[in-house]
Amino acid sequence: ELVVEGLGKIDTVVFDKTGTITLSDRHQVSYAGTGLSAYDKTLIRKAAGQSAHTLSRFLFSSLEPAMAGPEPVISRYDEISGKGIDAVVNEVPVRLGAAGFAQAMANEEGLERGSRVYVRIGEQPRGYFEIRQAYRPGIGLPSTASTRASST
């Protein structure tokens, strides 16, 4: 009910589909959850790199490529609109996307300051990457209440 009540207070809605307000080449990616090994990051990077979705592209570019070893192999890849990526990389199931899709518990204790991409590797939910976009100079940061983004 609080969400619906809050909607009544909104007097302006802005969509930034073309990147007029945000800087598409600048973003901050942070991770919260159980530790990720270099191998885990390689699996995540490979799965995210197959997608054209903005959050996947930001995630892909934030993870360093593996220094040594063979290129990871994707044997299955499905991208479900509005939910996320379901892939098998090096015979390991990888899910990236919304909390429910990745079967991860959404952390409601922490305040979301960006969009979240939840991670599951194998049968284990691992955590999430939070992606914050940079705004063009002169654009005031919107209030926190109006920027809760859905995780994809």
Side-chain angles (χ1 to χ4, degrees), residues 9-104:
K9 297 177 183 175
I10 295 173
D11 65 356
T12 306
V13 177
V14 178
F15 294 97
D16 187 32
K17 185 75 174 166
T18 60
T20 304
I21 298 170
T22 56
L23 296 167
S24 62
D25 61 341
R26 285 199 222 151
H27 52 277
Q28 179 182 15
V29 179
S30 58
Y31 175 75
T34 58
L36 296 173
S37 68
Y39 185 69
D40 293 336
K41 292 176 185 177
T42 297
L43 299 176
I44 293 166
R45 186 174 196 276
K46 185 67 173 183
Q50 307 308 302
S51 175
H53 191 282
T54 303
L55 296 179
S56 294
R57 303 309 307 159
F58 287 160
L59 182 54
F60 173 82
S61 67
S62 74
L63 296 171
E64 294 292 321
M67 296 302 274
E71 179 70 20
V73 175
I74 292 185
S75 56
R76 190 186 84 232
Y77 180 87
D78 293 308
E79 191 164 350
I80 297 94
S81 181
K83 297 190 183 295
I85 296 168
D86 184 16
V88 175
V89 184
N90 286 359
E91 303 303 318
V92 178
V94 176
R95 276 199 173 186
L96 307 172
F101 179 73
Q103 297 175 339

Side-chain angles (χ1 to χ4, degrees), residues 64-146:
E64 294 292 321
M67 296 302 274
E71 179 70 20
V73 175
I74 292 185
S75 56
R76 190 186 84 232
Y77 180 87
D78 293 308
E79 191 164 350
I80 297 94
S81 181
K83 297 190 183 295
I85 296 168
D86 184 16
V88 175
V89 184
N90 286 359
E91 303 303 318
V92 178
V94 176
R95 276 199 173 186
L96 307 172
F101 179 73
Q103 297 175 339
M105 296 296 294
N107 179 4
E108 295 304 325
E109 293 176 18
L111 184 62
E112 285 186 42
R113 300 201 182 276
S115 299
R116 290 184 178 174
V117 177
Y118 288 83
V119 177
R120 186 180 84 187
I121 299 175
E123 298 303 317
Q124 296 296 316
R126 303 301 290 277
Y128 60 85
F129 288 91
E130 188 164 80
I131 301 166
R132 297 177 71 183
Q133 291 203 243
Y135 293 90
R136 293 190 183 279
I139 301 290
L141 193 62
S143 70
T144 304
S146 66

